[in-house]
Amino acid sequence: MRNSFKQLAGKYKLLKQGWSPQQNLFYGFLTYIFVGFVLLSLPFMQKESASFLDHLFISTSAVSTTGLVTISIFDTYNFFGQFIIMTLIQLGGIGYLSFTTFMLLSTTRKMTFWHKKILSTEFTLPKTIKINDFLKSVILFTLIMETLGAILFFIAFKMDGMPTTEALWSSVFHSVSTFCTAGFSLYNDSFMGYIDNGFINAIISMLAICGSLGFIVITDFGMVIRNKAHKISFTTKIILYGFVTLLTIGTAFFYFAEPTIAQLEDSRFLAAFFQAMTAMTTVGFNTVDFGLFSQAMILICVFLMYVGASPSGTAGGIKITTLTAVFSIMKSRLRGNKQITFLGRVIPYERLYIATSAFIFYTLLIFIGTFLITITHVSELKDILFEVASALGTVGISRGITGDLTVFGKWVIIILMFIGRLGVLTFGLAIWSKTITEEEREVLKEDIAV
Amino acid sequence: MRNSFKQLAGKYKLLKQGWSPQQNLFYGFLTYIFVGFVLLSLPFMQKESASFLDHLFISTSAVSTTGLVTISIFDTYNFFGQFIIMTLIQLGGIGYLSFTTFMLLSTTRKMTFWHKKILSTEFTLPKTIKINDFLKSVILFTLIMETLGAILFFIAFKMDGMPTTEALWSSVFHSVSTFCTAGFSLYNDSFMGYIDNGFINAIISMLAICGSLGFIVITDFGMVIRNKAHKISFTTKIILYGFVTLLTIGTAFFYFAEPTIAQLEDSRFLAAFFQAMTAMTTVGFNTVDFGLFSQAMILICVFLMYVGASPSGTAGGIKITTLTAVFSIMKSRLRGNKQITFLGRVIPYERLYIATSAFIFYTLLIFIGTFLITITHVSELKDILFEVASALGTVGISRGITGDLTVFGKWVIIILMFIGRLGVLTFGLAIWSKTITEEEREVLKEDIAV
Ligand SMILES: [K+]
Ligand SMILES: [K+]
């Protein structure tokens, strides 16, 4: 195990000669997408043919773990094609995570060197977590959760009367798809057929929440279990606090304010919870047709997708930590305080700078994306806004316009999904940042050789 | 003249015993609106009756210089009612300006005391401008511009064959309404009847641009004319630079991308320029029906209304200076620079803090406003978003839904217009800020007694 980590680290070291961590991520994901696109375009992966653009769309959607589809996965791809998609999801999920981990750590260490002040707070990656522990957690936890998920899915599908072969494949595929919050489904109506199946609702929620909360939270909890003296980090507290609050508010809105869900009687609460959970964890499955929702509810969904869940998880959005920083700025500004605090802690300037940048970038991207699609595509503004927020947040729910998008519109969504998975700031830095100097590269090299 | 200034200053001093400048502004505007509402509700001001809520709506719209109307001004109010509306516009415009001036100066001076660093840059109010000069400019310039505007309007209306009595009143009313960027019109179709009248288009554009650029710019230019050694301030440069850029972009979009305007042949350029100008200066007249515009164009309008023009002018929006700061943050973030610069100058931290707060507040308010209206009112999202951006930006253009709003919807727009005129940060500070201490009040008193 330790050996493969070293190989991975070596590979990463090789890759980034002359590249910044952000550029590494950028080209890494681009390679995944391109390889996926080529494989999916091969005729023996398909049940029926589709355009090259559609294959590219599906490949990007899988690697970015978004789940938006212009064509039906089940009708277009045979078992091999579906297996490729699952692999892309897994690479996008875990590959993203290991990349993120490397980058996060190298960045943090770079910061140690350059700005010792930042590391003095626990606002980013907690000091107490080491790179080896972190990577071990990532891989171990993914394996455990996906195996457990597949077993539970298999039991649930069998209980529902599904044939064994179909249930076997379906349970593995959906377990990976859920834990990586990809939301790809083999069913053309997502999980609408299982709206009142509490067991399946529970499996999806558990997997998606664990996947979206991310490994900072998980590692932190793992350390508490192993070592009683270890205290839960400030980051983890903020993430949990924000997640529970938003999920509660979201569920309440769906329960009380959405007529489509209000008429459901028995499964009303389950449906309300599931729809809020799906938007927030960005898993993107649905048990109710989002095309039926009222305009007010669409805006609530856009907000939930806009925020997403935790940094270092598989979810998109501006992240709860950014939202927290933004709220703290507002509060401090209104109170006339000079220092910006949250839960009694001072948030450092650099952290606020990153948060506000992310907020501004994200907002502008949603606006520009929506604008670009309205130019060539005729749909109502609410549907386009929903689609754009879903793509940039890598959520994958839709009001049913994905398949009808123009060629230009599909390209816009492809680029948004890519940016969404990379993270708006990482994307920006990969494209526009100055090339790093020799000196900086030396520092980076030292960082990796832990 | 000097005497009336002293009276004004004395009145202000009296008012703010125990109040922060923001609270003064808040209650000042509320008083204007309430008095206006009572007067407009009197039957002898009216040609035909309207609900109390509609009178409140009109009073708020006039004081906030927005120009959104739920009822026809011409059909509802007689000459006396129309005169009240004009007075409210003037008070809202000039009253707002003198208040703003006082507040701006006292705040800046408070900053001198507390943060000497901030004043060392010219990013807010230029050091070289003194309170007396500034106030003199405000009143003198308003008088000159509105008289000039009225004379020109009179000539234009007479040339168009309007009877003298009607032309007399119409020219005075529209001159005040334009210079204060209120956009109230005595014609139910705004200026659509004058779409190809170059003279009237020019008068409106000149008055609205002068009004919206604001008195920092005007005073600055006045000083350059009087004293050749005086250099144009950095603030003025930024405002002019941003204004010209945005107006050009806006005009180009209307000219090339809007089918309704493309079919106009002769008056195509004039119409494109006028519509961009009306959204940006927030005057809010129109010569083309905004209800006919394409979805992409609506988003362009929303963006222009979102930005608005200059601080200390009569325009709403986040202001060009805020947009500039936001862009500088993005650029510096992407380039990996530590210091945030614009046109080669370092922008101080406090200025960035204010700009990002304004951006975040404004964005959230547009989102919340749109959400609240969708709850009770059935219109397309694009129309509601347009209405909300128009109200918060105190622009006053509409896609025709104002009159059909529910009671709740009207209240939302009333509050948005109020916040829009007060400024989002001032509003927030007036509501939530701590009451000022004895010590701070002493400092403030000294500030006013220049
Ligand atoms: K997803
Ligand atoms: K206006």
Side-chain angles (χ1 to χ4, degrees):
Chain A
M1 197 110 177
R2 187 165 293 274
N3 233 10
S4 64
F5 284 133
K6 274 198 184 147
Q7 278 179 358
L8 213 69
K11 206 172 132 195
Y12 179 72
K13 211 165 153 185
L14 206 73
L15 248 176
K16 74 170 182 51
Q17 301 293 339
W19 281 350
S20 67
Q22 289 83 12
Q23 284 168 327
N24 266 329
L25 270 169
F26 183 91
Y27 291 113
F29 272 112
L30 218 56
T31 311
Y32 283 175
I33 289 169
F34 185 74
V35 172
F37 157 66
V38 171
L39 289 174
L40 289 177
S41 302
L42 300 174
F44 63 86
M45 299 288 185
Q46 303 160 9
K47 285 182 193 163
E48 55 184 40
S49 72
S51 74
F52 282 122
L53 187 58
D54 285 329
H55 293 304
L56 179 66
F57 194 99
I58 297 296
S59 178
T60 312
S61 185
V63 171
S64 68
T65 70
T66 305
L68 284 174
V69 289
T70 47
I71 46 173
S72 158
I73 298 299
F74 187 76
D75 298 342
T76 311
Y77 301 104
N78 59 24
F79 172 77
F80 301 107
Q82 292 172 16
F83 189 84
I84 294 294
I85 291 171
M86 192 185 75
T87 312
L88 291 174
I89 292 170
Q90 185 67 86
L91 275 174
I94 191 80
Y96 170 68
L97 286 169
S98 39
F99 260 110
T100 307
T101 309
F102 274 121
M103 206 205 71
L104 223 79
L105 287 165
S106 70
T107 313
T108 315
R109 290 192 170 249
K110 212 166 86 187
M111 283 184 183
T112 325
F113 191 78
W114 285 336
H115 326 264
K116 280 196 180 161
K117 247 175 82 183
I118 308 166
L119 249 191
S120 67
T121 66
E122 299 173 321
F123 213 90
T124 48
L125 189 76
K127 274 189 289 194
T128 38
I129 295 176
K130 289 199 187 75
I131 183 163
N132 281 3
D133 286 348
F134 195 70
L135 268 181
K136 222 179 271 179
S137 301
V138 167
I139 289 167
L140 207 71
F141 191 67
T142 304
L143 273 173
I144 292 170
M145 288 306 288
E146 289 183 354
T147 311
L148 183 69
I151 293 167
L152 292 173
F153 263 125
F154 184 76
I155 296 168
F157 286 141
K158 281 306 288 179
M159 278 165 69
D160 202 56
M162 198 184 276
T164 306
T165 340
E166 193 191 329
L168 217 58
W169 174 229
S170 187
S171 58
V172 171
F173 184 91
H174 287 111
S175 180
V176 172
S177 181
T178 312
F179 182 71
C180 298
T181 66
F184 272 88
S185 174
L186 297 176
Y187 313 116
N188 291 340
D189 65 349
S190 189
F191 278 83
M192 282 169 65
Y194 298 99
I195 182 169
D196 49 7
N197 187 324
F199 189 26
I200 286 189
N201 274 262
I203 301 169
I204 294 178
S205 304
M206 182 204 63
L207 284 174
I209 289 172
C210 288
S212 72
L213 279 182
F215 293 92
I216 290 180
V217 175
I218 302 302
T219 313
D220 219 17
F221 269 98
M223 287 179 78
V224 171
I225 292 166
R226 272 180 293 174
N227 175 9
K228 293 265 159 93
H230 179 80
K231 276 185 188 165
I232 288 178
S233 72
F234 188 50
T235 313
T236 301
K237 274 184 203 157
I238 286 180
I239 291 169
L240 291 176
Y241 185 85
F243 189 82
V244 171
T245 309
L246 284 175
L247 192 58
T248 310
I249 293 172
T251 306
F253 265 110
F254 276 102
Y255 189 85
F256 292 109
E258 177 49 49
T260 322
I261 284 176
Q263 73 188 17
L264 287 176
E265 296 188 8
D266 282 358
S267 46
R268 183 174 172 183
F269 176 77
L270 205 59
F273 172 80
F274 192 90
Q275 268 36 252
M277 182 281 294
T278 208
M280 250 205 87
T281 60
T282 76
V283 64
F285 287 127
N286 58 296
T287 60
V288 180
D289 183 2
F290 277 84
L292 301 174
F293 285 173
S294 68
Q295 213 155 241
M297 217 54 235
I298 291 171
L299 291 178
I300 292 289
C301 290
V302 167
F303 175 72
L304 290 175
M305 295 194 287
Y306 186 91
V307 176
S310 150
S312 96
T314 52
I318 59 166
K319 320 292 183 198
I320 285 169
T321 41
T322 299
L323 187 76
T324 313
V326 164
F327 269 126
S328 307
I329 291 173
M330 284 168 56
K331 212 184 69 183
S332 301
R333 173 81 205 141
L334 291 178
R335 292 269 174 83
N337 298 336
K338 281 184 217 163
Q339 280 193 320
I340 293 164
T341 56
F342 186 76
L343 297 179
R345 296 232 190 170
V346 175
I347 306 177
Y349 168 62
E350 278 83 353
R351 178 68 215 155
L352 293 172
Y353 178 36
I354 293 173
T356 47
S357 308
F359 182 90
I360 292 168
F361 271 110
Y362 209 88
T363 307
L364 286 178
L365 271 173
I366 286 194
F367 185 83
I368 292 167
T370 307
F371 174 70
L372 287 177
I373 291 180
T374 52
I375 291 176
T376 62
H377 178 79
V378 188
S379 276
E380 284 190 51
L381 183 62
K382 60 180 174 188
D383 299 337
I384 297 173
L385 175 67
F386 194 87
E387 192 82 8
V388 166
S390 179
L392 192 58
T394 70
V395 183
I397 48 181
S398 170
R399 308 231 330 140
I401 66 165
T402 323
D404 302 328
L405 288 170
T406 60
V407 170
F408 181 72
K410 283 180 187 173
W411 272 105
V412 172
I413 295 292
I414 286 174
I415 292 167
L416 286 174
M417 292 191 293
F418 182 67
I419 298 176
R421 179 33 106 223
L422 214 55
V424 285
L425 291 183
T426 308
F427 177 80
L429 286 169
I431 299 282
W432 287 287
S433 71
K434 301 175 292 191
T435 39
I436 52 174
T437 63
E438 267 305 319
E439 198 183 319
E440 286 166 357
R441 206 177 300 151
E442 280 309 310
V443 175
L444 280 170
K445 264 184 193 165
E446 270 174 47
D447 283 343
I448 290 297
V450 181
Chain B
M1 197 111 179
R2 186 164 293 275
N3 233 10
S4 65
F5 285 134
K6 274 198 184 147
Q7 278 179 359
L8 213 71
K11 207 171 130 195
Y12 179 72
K13 212 166 155 185
L14 206 76
L15 247 175
K16 70 168 187 50
Q17 301 293 341
W19 281 348
S20 68
Q22 290 83 13
Q23 283 167 328
N24 266 329
L25 271 169
F26 183 91
Y27 290 112
F29 273 111
L30 218 54
T31 311
Y32 283 175
I33 290 169
F34 185 74
V35 172
F37 158 65
V38 170
L39 290 173
L40 289 177
S41 302
L42 300 174
F44 63 86
M45 298 287 185
Q46 303 160 9
K47 285 181 191 162
E48 55 183 39
S49 70
S51 75
F52 282 122
L53 186 59
D54 285 330
H55 293 304
L56 179 66
F57 193 99
I58 298 295
S59 179
T60 312
S61 186
V63 171
S64 68
T65 70
T66 304
L68 284 173
V69 289
T70 49
I71 48 175
S72 158
I73 298 299
F74 187 76
D75 298 343
T76 312
Y77 301 105
N78 58 24
F79 172 75
F80 301 107
Q82 292 171 16
F83 190 84
I84 294 293
I85 291 173
M86 192 186 74
T87 312
L88 292 174
I89 292 170
Q90 185 67 86
L91 275 174
I94 190 80
Y96 169 68
L97 286 170
S98 40
F99 260 111
T100 307
T101 309
F102 274 121
M103 207 203 72
L104 223 78
L105 286 165
S106 70
T107 313
T108 315
R109 291 197 167 245
K110 214 166 85 188
M111 282 184 186
T112 325
F113 191 79
W114 286 335
H115 325 265
K116 281 196 179 162
K117 246 175 83 184
I118 306 167
L119 249 189
S120 67
T121 67
E122 300 174 319
F123 213 88
T124 48
L125 189 75
K127 272 189 290 192
T128 38
I129 294 176
K130 289 199 186 74
I131 183 161
N132 280 3
D133 288 346
F134 196 70
L135 268 180
K136 223 179 270 178
S137 301
V138 168
I139 291 167
L140 208 72
F141 191 67
T142 306
L143 274 173
I144 292 170
M145 289 306 288
E146 289 182 355
T147 310
L148 183 69
I151 293 167
L152 292 173
F153 263 125
F154 184 76
I155 297 167
F157 286 141
K158 280 306 287 179
M159 277 166 68
D160 203 55
M162 198 184 276
T164 307
T165 341
E166 194 189 329
L168 215 60
W169 173 230
S170 187
S171 58
V172 172
F173 184 91
H174 287 112
S175 180
V176 173
S177 181
T178 311
F179 182 70
C180 297
T181 66
F184 272 88
S185 173
L186 296 176
Y187 313 115
N188 292 339
D189 64 350
S190 189
F191 277 83
M192 281 168 66
Y194 297 99
I195 181 169
D196 49 7
N197 188 324
F199 190 24
I200 287 190
N201 274 261
I203 301 169
I204 294 177
S205 304
M206 180 204 63
L207 284 174
I209 290 172
C210 287
S212 71
L213 279 183
F215 293 92
I216 290 181
V217 175
I218 302 301
T219 313
D220 218 17
F221 269 98
M223 288 179 79
V224 170
I225 291 166
R226 271 180 295 174
N227 175 8
K228 294 261 160 92
H230 180 81
K231 276 184 188 165
I232 289 179
S233 72
F234 188 51
T235 314
T236 301
K237 274 182 203 158
I238 286 179
I239 291 168
L240 291 177
Y241 185 86
F243 189 83
V244 171
T245 309
L246 284 175
L247 192 58
T248 309
I249 294 171
T251 306
F253 265 111
F254 276 103
Y255 189 85
F256 292 111
E258 177 50 49
T260 322
I261 285 178
Q263 75 188 14
L264 287 175
E265 298 189 6
D266 281 358
S267 46
R268 183 174 172 183
F269 176 76
L270 206 58
F273 172 79
F274 193 89
Q275 270 34 252
M277 183 280 295
T278 208
M280 251 206 86
T281 61
T282 76
V283 64
F285 288 126
N286 58 294
T287 60
V288 179
D289 183 2
F290 277 85
L292 301 174
F293 284 173
S294 68
Q295 211 153 242
M297 218 54 235
I298 291 171
L299 290 177
I300 292 288
C301 290
V302 167
F303 174 72
L304 290 176
M305 296 195 286
Y306 185 92
V307 176
S310 149
S312 94
T314 52
I318 59 166
K319 320 292 183 197
I320 286 169
T321 41
T322 299
L323 187 76
T324 312
V326 163
F327 269 126
S328 307
I329 291 174
M330 282 168 55
K331 211 184 70 185
S332 302
R333 173 80 206 142
L334 292 179
R335 292 271 174 84
N337 297 337
K338 281 183 214 164
Q339 280 192 321
I340 292 163
T341 56
F342 186 76
L343 297 179
R345 294 231 192 170
V346 175
I347 305 177
Y349 168 61
E350 277 83 354
R351 178 68 217 157
L352 293 172
Y353 179 36
I354 292 174
T356 46
S357 308
F359 183 91
I360 293 167
F361 271 110
Y362 209 89
T363 307
L364 286 178
L365 271 173
I366 286 194
F367 185 83
I368 292 167
T370 307
F371 174 70
L372 287 177
I373 290 181
T374 52
I375 291 176
T376 63
H377 178 79
V378 188
S379 276
E380 284 191 50
L381 183 63
K382 60 180 174 188
D383 299 337
I384 297 173
L385 175 67
F386 194 87
E387 192 81 8
V388 166
S390 179
L392 192 58
T394 70
V395 183
I397 47 180
S398 171
R399 307 232 331 140
I401 67 166
T402 324
D404 302 328
L405 289 169
T406 60
V407 169
F408 181 72
K410 284 180 186 173
W411 272 105
V412 172
I413 296 291
I414 287 174
I415 292 167
L416 286 174
M417 292 192 293
F418 183 67
I419 298 175
R421 180 32 107 222
L422 216 54
V424 285
L425 291 181
T426 308
F427 177 81
L429 286 168
I431 300 282
W432 286 287
S433 71
K434 301 174 292 191
T435 40
I436 53 174
T437 62
E438 267 306 318
E439 197 184 320
E440 286 165 354
R441 205 176 301 150
E442 281 308 311
V443 175
L444 280 171
K445 265 185 196 164
E446 271 173 48
D447 283 341
I448 291 296
V450 182

